[in-house]
mmCIF file of all heavy atoms in Angstrom:
data_model
loop_
_atom_site.group_PDB
_atom_site.id
_atom_site.type_symbol
_atom_site.label_atom_id
_atom_site.label_comp_id
_atom_site.label_asym_id
_atom_site.label_seq_id
_atom_site.Cartn_x
_atom_site.Cartn_y
_atom_site.Cartn_z
ATOM 1 N N ALA A 57 38.413 14.672 -21.337
ATOM 2 C CA ALA A 57 39.692 14.990 -20.688
ATOM 3 C C ALA A 57 39.414 15.048 -19.196
ATOM 4 O O ALA A 57 38.544 15.795 -18.753
ATOM 5 C CB ALA A 57 40.206 16.339 -21.178
ATOM 6 N N GLN A 95 30.808 18.373 -17.529
ATOM 7 C CA GLN A 95 31.876 18.264 -16.517
ATOM 8 C C GLN A 95 31.561 17.118 -15.563
ATOM 9 O O GLN A 95 30.403 16.940 -15.150
ATOM 10 C CB GLN A 95 31.916 19.593 -15.771
ATOM 11 C CG GLN A 95 32.895 19.682 -14.621
ATOM 12 C CD GLN A 95 32.769 21.025 -13.933
ATOM 13 O OE1 GLN A 95 32.954 22.086 -14.560
ATOM 14 N NE2 GLN A 95 32.414 21.003 -12.656
ATOM 15 N N THR A 131 27.834 22.265 -18.281
ATOM 16 C CA THR A 131 28.278 23.540 -17.689
ATOM 17 C C THR A 131 28.186 24.684 -18.694
ATOM 18 O O THR A 131 28.346 25.850 -18.336
ATOM 19 C CB THR A 131 29.745 23.441 -17.209
ATOM 20 O OG1 THR A 131 30.542 23.014 -18.333
ATOM 21 C CG2 THR A 131 29.891 22.460 -16.084
ATOM 22 N N TYR A 134 24.120 25.435 -17.833
ATOM 23 C CA TYR A 134 23.558 25.498 -16.484
ATOM 24 C C TYR A 134 24.629 25.860 -15.461
ATOM 25 O O TYR A 134 25.827 25.700 -15.717
ATOM 26 C CB TYR A 134 22.857 24.164 -16.162
ATOM 27 C CG TYR A 134 21.878 23.779 -17.256
ATOM 28 C CD1 TYR A 134 22.115 22.663 -18.066
ATOM 29 C CD2 TYR A 134 20.774 24.579 -17.560
ATOM 30 C CE1 TYR A 134 21.265 22.338 -19.120
ATOM 31 C CE2 TYR A 134 19.922 24.275 -18.612
ATOM 32 C CZ TYR A 134 20.167 23.155 -19.389
ATOM 33 O OH TYR A 134 19.331 22.860 -20.443
ATOM 34 N N GLY A 151 28.268 4.982 -19.477
ATOM 35 C CA GLY A 151 28.068 3.673 -18.850
ATOM 36 C C GLY A 151 29.118 2.707 -19.350
ATOM 37 O O GLY A 151 29.418 2.676 -20.553
ATOM 38 N N GLU A 222 32.234 -2.047 -25.303
ATOM 39 C CA GLU A 222 33.207 -3.003 -24.767
ATOM 40 C C GLU A 222 33.209 -2.960 -23.241
ATOM 41 O O GLU A 222 33.352 -1.873 -22.660
ATOM 42 C CB GLU A 222 34.598 -2.667 -25.313
ATOM 43 C CG GLU A 222 35.690 -3.634 -24.886
ATOM 44 C CD GLU A 222 37.079 -3.160 -25.317
ATOM 45 O OE1 GLU A 222 37.194 -2.645 -26.443
ATOM 46 O OE2 GLU A 222 38.021 -3.275 -24.499
#
Side-chain angles (χ1 to χ4, degrees):
Q95 177 183 301
T131 55
Y134 309 113
E222 183 187 320

